[in-house]
Structures are given as structure tokens and as C-alpha cells.
Amino acid sequence: MLNFIDIPAPEGPYGPAKKMIIMHGRGDVKESFIPITREINVTGLSYRLLDAPSPFMFGYSWYAAAPADPIPDIKKSVALILENIQSLKMATKDIFIAGFSQGAALALEVALASQTAFAGVVCLSPRLFIRDELLNSKMISSVDCFMAHGQYDEMIPFEETSNGLLKLKEKGLSVEFHSYPMGHEIEIEEIRELRSWLNERL
């Protein structure tokens, strides 16, 4: 079972109606995203932050980096994330699945490997592993996605992600895409636009 932290929804007139699962990037830890949940600050949304399974530097990793083949690790991580989601005893239509960098790749992989649709999928600066298995997923037209990427991303080139996204859209992926004049990071305007997207779906 993956290590996790649960964060309750901000106080408000309504109870926590939905939950967001958040996965960090390579070499990071779940605690790094506690401030992000405070910035999102959406009434009625609680959070579960996950640690990846494999130790890497000062944190954890979801899959092996090049030149290793990442797909076997991705499949193992997808299975562990789905196991964690099932432990929530919630309908997936009430769960957003989100991530940054490696975690963003896993968010999309999980949504396309699942048997039921999620409330939404959030991919911040993802590396997309475009392949037939992904493009031919029967769930692709059921995915409602917010995706964002830095135009000057030094880790995952903007063109790589935008070209992969085009192929996914051609197969039926519904996505709201934003680009920002930034590197491999998360910035406040990105969070503001994500907040608006989430509020439309709560």
C-alpha cells in the first residue's frame, strides 16, 4: 500500500463532496504538495497525497528514467494507485486524479487504465508516453482533463507534450490546455485557472 496523507476539505457550508488524489514528481515527497492544496482552496474538495513506491534521491519515483523502459514501472504504479483509490470506498465519479511531472503522467495513465470515469484528471507539466495502448483505451473519450505546461520547461519539452496531446485529442480526449511562460514548475496563475476548472465540476 502506498504511503499517503489525507487533508480534509476547507471549512464551508457544504461537506466534502469530492476528493482529489495528488501524485508528486520524481525525487519529491507527498508533503511538498500540502501548500498546493491550500492554494487550490476549493470548498467541498478534500485531498489524498500519495508517495511513489520507489526511493529516489531525497524522495520517491513512480517509474525509472531513460534509458530504462518506464512502462513496466508505470503499470506497477498504476496498480498501486488504483488499489489506494479502491480503499477510499468512493465512486470514481467523485474523485479527481492529479499530478505533477511523473505524477501527471500517472494521473492520465490511471484514468485510461480504470474501468470507470473519474470526476476529472489534472496533468501539470506531464510527460506523455504516447503508444497504442494509451491511444486505444476505451476510456479515452470519458476523460475530462485539465492540462498545463511551461513553454520553457527544461525537463520535459513543451513541444513533446503538446504533440502528444494532439494525438490524444484526435482519439477523443476532452482537455482544457494552458501554457505558461515558465520552466518545470507550478505557478500561481496555473493554480487560479485550475481552481476555476474545478469549481465548474464540483
PDB file of all heavy atoms in Angstrom, residues 5-10 19-20 30 33-35 37-38 45-49:
ATOM      1  N   ILE A   5      -1.138  10.931   2.796  1.00  0.00           N
ATOM      2  CA  ILE A   5      -1.666  11.886   3.776  1.00  0.00           C
ATOM      3  C   ILE A   5      -3.046  12.290   3.297  1.00  0.00           C
ATOM      4  O   ILE A   5      -3.233  12.625   2.120  1.00  0.00           O
ATOM      5  CB  ILE A   5      -0.794  13.155   3.870  1.00  0.00           C
ATOM      6  CG1 ILE A   5       0.632  12.844   4.321  1.00  0.00           C
ATOM      7  CG2 ILE A   5      -1.427  14.179   4.829  1.00  0.00           C
ATOM      8  CD1 ILE A   5       1.546  14.053   4.247  1.00  0.00           C
ATOM      9  N   ASP A   6      -4.024  12.297   4.193  1.00  0.00           N
ATOM     10  CA  ASP A   6      -5.353  12.809   3.891  1.00  0.00           C
ATOM     11  C   ASP A   6      -5.496  14.223   4.445  1.00  0.00           C
ATOM     12  O   ASP A   6      -5.116  14.490   5.596  1.00  0.00           O
ATOM     13  CB  ASP A   6      -6.438  11.912   4.491  1.00  0.00           C
ATOM     14  CG  ASP A   6      -6.668  10.656   3.666  1.00  0.00           C
ATOM     15  OD1 ASP A   6      -6.547  10.722   2.423  1.00  0.00           O
ATOM     16  OD2 ASP A   6      -6.964   9.595   4.252  1.00  0.00           O
ATOM     17  N   ILE A   7      -6.030  15.118   3.627  1.00  0.00           N
ATOM     18  CA  ILE A   7      -6.247  16.506   4.026  1.00  0.00           C
ATOM     19  C   ILE A   7      -7.730  16.808   3.870  1.00  0.00           C
ATOM     20  O   ILE A   7      -8.276  16.667   2.768  1.00  0.00           O
ATOM     21  CB  ILE A   7      -5.407  17.475   3.166  1.00  0.00           C
ATOM     22  CG1 ILE A   7      -3.913  17.165   3.346  1.00  0.00           C
ATOM     23  CG2 ILE A   7      -5.704  18.920   3.520  1.00  0.00           C
ATOM     24  CD1 ILE A   7      -3.006  17.990   2.468  1.00  0.00           C
ATOM     25  N   PRO A   8      -8.405  17.215   4.946  1.00  0.00           N
ATOM     26  CA  PRO A   8      -9.846  17.472   4.843  1.00  0.00           C
ATOM     27  C   PRO A   8     -10.149  18.694   3.988  1.00  0.00           C
ATOM     28  O   PRO A   8      -9.283  19.537   3.748  1.00  0.00           O
ATOM     29  CB  PRO A   8     -10.262  17.693   6.303  1.00  0.00           C
ATOM     30  CG  PRO A   8      -9.014  18.141   6.994  1.00  0.00           C
ATOM     31  CD  PRO A   8      -7.878  17.446   6.301  1.00  0.00           C
ATOM     32  N   ALA A   9     -11.389  18.784   3.551  1.00  0.00           N
ATOM     33  CA  ALA A   9     -11.831  19.925   2.759  1.00  0.00           C
ATOM     34  C   ALA A   9     -11.817  21.191   3.615  1.00  0.00           C
ATOM     35  O   ALA A   9     -12.020  21.129   4.831  1.00  0.00           O
ATOM     36  CB  ALA A   9     -13.232  19.673   2.218  1.00  0.00           C
ATOM     37  N   PRO A  10     -11.572  22.363   2.991  1.00  0.00           N
ATOM     38  CA  PRO A  10     -11.699  23.618   3.742  1.00  0.00           C
ATOM     39  C   PRO A  10     -13.103  23.749   4.321  1.00  0.00           C
ATOM     40  O   PRO A  10     -14.077  23.257   3.747  1.00  0.00           O
ATOM     41  CB  PRO A  10     -11.448  24.696   2.674  1.00  0.00           C
ATOM     42  CG  PRO A  10     -10.701  23.999   1.590  1.00  0.00           C
ATOM     43  CD  PRO A  10     -11.189  22.578   1.599  1.00  0.00           C
ATOM     44  N   LYS A  19     -13.048  14.258  -3.747  1.00  0.00           N
ATOM     45  CA  LYS A  19     -11.667  14.140  -3.269  1.00  0.00           C
ATOM     46  C   LYS A  19     -10.728  14.226  -4.457  1.00  0.00           C
ATOM     47  O   LYS A  19     -11.044  13.770  -5.557  1.00  0.00           O
ATOM     48  CB  LYS A  19     -11.466  12.815  -2.531  1.00  0.00           C
ATOM     49  CG  LYS A  19     -10.083  12.652  -1.903  1.00  0.00           C
ATOM     50  CD  LYS A  19      -9.961  11.361  -1.129  1.00  0.00           C
ATOM     51  CE  LYS A  19     -10.691  11.380   0.172  1.00  0.00           C
ATOM     52  NZ  LYS A  19     -10.028  12.222   1.202  1.00  0.00           N
ATOM     53  N   MET A  20      -9.548  14.816  -4.226  1.00  0.00           N
ATOM     54  CA  MET A  20      -8.502  14.861  -5.238  1.00  0.00           C
ATOM     55  C   MET A  20      -7.309  14.031  -4.766  1.00  0.00           C
ATOM     56  O   MET A  20      -6.793  14.245  -3.667  1.00  0.00           O
ATOM     57  CB  MET A  20      -8.051  16.293  -5.522  1.00  0.00           C
ATOM     58  CG  MET A  20      -6.917  16.367  -6.548  1.00  0.00           C
ATOM     59  SD  MET A  20      -6.340  18.068  -6.865  1.00  0.00           S
ATOM     60  CE  MET A  20      -7.638  18.633  -7.961  1.00  0.00           C
ATOM     61  N   LYS A  30       5.211  13.489  -0.855  1.00  0.00           N
ATOM     62  CA  LYS A  30       3.822  13.941  -0.772  1.00  0.00           C
ATOM     63  C   LYS A  30       3.668  15.260  -0.019  1.00  0.00           C
ATOM     64  O   LYS A  30       2.824  16.098  -0.370  1.00  0.00           O
ATOM     65  CB  LYS A  30       2.959  12.854  -0.130  1.00  0.00           C
ATOM     66  CG  LYS A  30       3.399  12.430   1.267  1.00  0.00           C
ATOM     67  CD  LYS A  30       2.617  11.220   1.744  1.00  0.00           C
ATOM     68  CE  LYS A  30       3.010  10.767   3.149  1.00  0.00           C
ATOM     69  NZ  LYS A  30       4.433  10.424   3.277  1.00  0.00           N
ATOM     70  N   PHE A  33       3.227  18.876  -1.524  1.00  0.00           N
ATOM     71  CA  PHE A  33       2.002  19.362  -2.153  1.00  0.00           C
ATOM     72  C   PHE A  33       0.952  19.835  -1.152  1.00  0.00           C
ATOM     73  O   PHE A  33      -0.134  20.254  -1.554  1.00  0.00           O
ATOM     74  CB  PHE A  33       1.442  18.297  -3.104  1.00  0.00           C
ATOM     75  CG  PHE A  33       2.209  18.277  -4.390  1.00  0.00           C
ATOM     76  CD1 PHE A  33       3.453  17.666  -4.465  1.00  0.00           C
ATOM     77  CD2 PHE A  33       1.728  18.913  -5.521  1.00  0.00           C
ATOM     78  CE1 PHE A  33       4.194  17.688  -5.635  1.00  0.00           C
ATOM     79  CE2 PHE A  33       2.455  18.941  -6.691  1.00  0.00           C
ATOM     80  CZ  PHE A  33       3.689  18.329  -6.756  1.00  0.00           C
ATOM     81  N   ILE A  34       1.288  19.831   0.126  1.00  0.00           N
ATOM     82  CA  ILE A  34       0.367  20.405   1.112  1.00  0.00           C
ATOM     83  C   ILE A  34       0.110  21.882   0.812  1.00  0.00           C
ATOM     84  O   ILE A  34      -1.054  22.320   0.803  1.00  0.00           O
ATOM     85  CB  ILE A  34       0.897  20.191   2.544  1.00  0.00           C
ATOM     86  CG1 ILE A  34       0.910  18.694   2.885  1.00  0.00           C
ATOM     87  CG2 ILE A  34       0.048  20.974   3.552  1.00  0.00           C
ATOM     88  CD1 ILE A  34       1.551  18.358   4.218  1.00  0.00           C
ATOM     89  N   PRO A  35       1.145  22.704   0.517  1.00  0.00           N
ATOM     90  CA  PRO A  35       0.867  24.111   0.185  1.00  0.00           C
ATOM     91  C   PRO A  35       0.011  24.282  -1.072  1.00  0.00           C
ATOM     92  O   PRO A  35      -0.790  25.221  -1.151  1.00  0.00           O
ATOM     93  CB  PRO A  35       2.266  24.714  -0.017  1.00  0.00           C
ATOM     94  CG  PRO A  35       3.189  23.815   0.729  1.00  0.00           C
ATOM     95  CD  PRO A  35       2.606  22.446   0.594  1.00  0.00           C
ATOM     96  N   THR A  37      -2.446  22.337  -2.036  1.00  0.00           N
ATOM     97  CA  THR A  37      -3.851  22.132  -1.676  1.00  0.00           C
ATOM     98  C   THR A  37      -4.430  23.396  -1.037  1.00  0.00           C
ATOM     99  O   THR A  37      -5.608  23.722  -1.246  1.00  0.00           O
ATOM    100  CB  THR A  37      -4.031  20.940  -0.718  1.00  0.00           C
ATOM    101  OG1 THR A  37      -3.433  21.223   0.550  1.00  0.00           O
ATOM    102  CG2 THR A  37      -3.406  19.679  -1.296  1.00  0.00           C
ATOM    103  N   ARG A  38      -3.613  24.120  -0.273  1.00  0.00           N
ATOM    104  CA  ARG A  38      -4.087  25.370   0.344  1.00  0.00           C
ATOM    105  C   ARG A  38      -4.311  26.442  -0.717  1.00  0.00           C
ATOM    106  O   ARG A  38      -5.245  27.247  -0.612  1.00  0.00           O
ATOM    107  CB  ARG A  38      -3.077  25.847   1.386  1.00  0.00           C
ATOM    108  CG  ARG A  38      -2.964  24.903   2.589  1.00  0.00           C
ATOM    109  CD  ARG A  38      -1.866  25.347   3.531  1.00  0.00           C
ATOM    110  NE  ARG A  38      -1.703  24.412   4.640  1.00  0.00           N
ATOM    111  CZ  ARG A  38      -0.532  24.172   5.233  1.00  0.00           C
ATOM    112  NH1 ARG A  38       0.567  24.780   4.824  1.00  0.00           N
ATOM    113  NH2 ARG A  38      -0.472  23.312   6.228  1.00  0.00           N
ATOM    114  N   LEU A  45     -13.800  20.082  -1.434  1.00  0.00           N
ATOM    115  CA  LEU A  45     -12.818  19.179  -2.031  1.00  0.00           C
ATOM    116  C   LEU A  45     -11.771  18.809  -0.977  1.00  0.00           C
ATOM    117  O   LEU A  45     -11.078  19.679  -0.440  1.00  0.00           O
ATOM    118  CB  LEU A  45     -12.130  19.841  -3.225  1.00  0.00           C
ATOM    119  CG  LEU A  45     -11.148  18.984  -4.017  1.00  0.00           C
ATOM    120  CD1 LEU A  45     -11.857  17.814  -4.689  1.00  0.00           C
ATOM    121  CD2 LEU A  45     -10.425  19.832  -5.070  1.00  0.00           C
ATOM    122  N   SER A  46     -11.677  17.515  -0.673  1.00  0.00           N
ATOM    123  CA  SER A  46     -10.627  17.016   0.208  1.00  0.00           C
ATOM    124  C   SER A  46      -9.534  16.386  -0.644  1.00  0.00           C
ATOM    125  O   SER A  46      -9.692  16.239  -1.857  1.00  0.00           O
ATOM    126  CB  SER A  46     -11.196  16.001   1.208  1.00  0.00           C
ATOM    127  OG  SER A  46     -11.768  14.894   0.530  1.00  0.00           O
ATOM    128  N   TYR A  47      -8.432  15.999   0.002  1.00  0.00           N
ATOM    129  CA  TYR A  47      -7.260  15.566  -0.754  1.00  0.00           C
ATOM    130  C   TYR A  47      -6.643  14.311  -0.135  1.00  0.00           C
ATOM    131  O   TYR A  47      -6.696  14.107   1.077  1.00  0.00           O
ATOM    132  CB  TYR A  47      -6.186  16.663  -0.780  1.00  0.00           C
ATOM    133  CG  TYR A  47      -6.681  17.977  -1.309  1.00  0.00           C
ATOM    134  CD1 TYR A  47      -7.264  18.910  -0.458  1.00  0.00           C
ATOM    135  CD2 TYR A  47      -6.593  18.285  -2.668  1.00  0.00           C
ATOM    136  CE1 TYR A  47      -7.739  20.120  -0.933  1.00  0.00           C
ATOM    137  CE2 TYR A  47      -7.062  19.492  -3.156  1.00  0.00           C
ATOM    138  CZ  TYR A  47      -7.636  20.398  -2.285  1.00  0.00           C
ATOM    139  OH  TYR A  47      -8.114  21.597  -2.762  1.00  0.00           O
ATOM    140  N   ARG A  48      -6.035  13.513  -0.985  1.00  0.00           N
ATOM    141  CA  ARG A  48      -5.134  12.444  -0.561  1.00  0.00           C
ATOM    142  C   ARG A  48      -3.850  12.599  -1.359  1.00  0.00           C
ATOM    143  O   ARG A  48      -3.861  12.548  -2.592  1.00  0.00           O
ATOM    144  CB  ARG A  48      -5.741  11.060  -0.769  1.00  0.00           C
ATOM    145  CG  ARG A  48      -4.744   9.934  -0.471  1.00  0.00           C
ATOM    146  CD  ARG A  48      -5.401   8.574  -0.347  1.00  0.00           C
ATOM    147  NE  ARG A  48      -6.133   8.461   0.923  1.00  0.00           N
ATOM    148  CZ  ARG A  48      -6.644   7.323   1.368  1.00  0.00           C
ATOM    149  NH1 ARG A  48      -6.515   6.198   0.675  1.00  0.00           N
ATOM    150  NH2 ARG A  48      -7.294   7.281   2.526  1.00  0.00           N
ATOM    151  N   LEU A  49      -2.741  12.798  -0.664  1.00  0.00           N
ATOM    152  CA  LEU A  49      -1.428  12.940  -1.285  1.00  0.00           C
ATOM    153  C   LEU A  49      -0.682  11.621  -1.162  1.00  0.00           C
ATOM    154  O   LEU A  49      -0.563  11.072  -0.064  1.00  0.00           O
ATOM    155  CB  LEU A  49      -0.635  14.064  -0.607  1.00  0.00           C
ATOM    156  CG  LEU A  49      -1.373  15.385  -0.352  1.00  0.00           C
ATOM    157  CD1 LEU A  49      -0.438  16.408   0.265  1.00  0.00           C
ATOM    158  CD2 LEU A  49      -1.990  15.917  -1.633  1.00  0.00           C
TER     159      LEU A  49
END
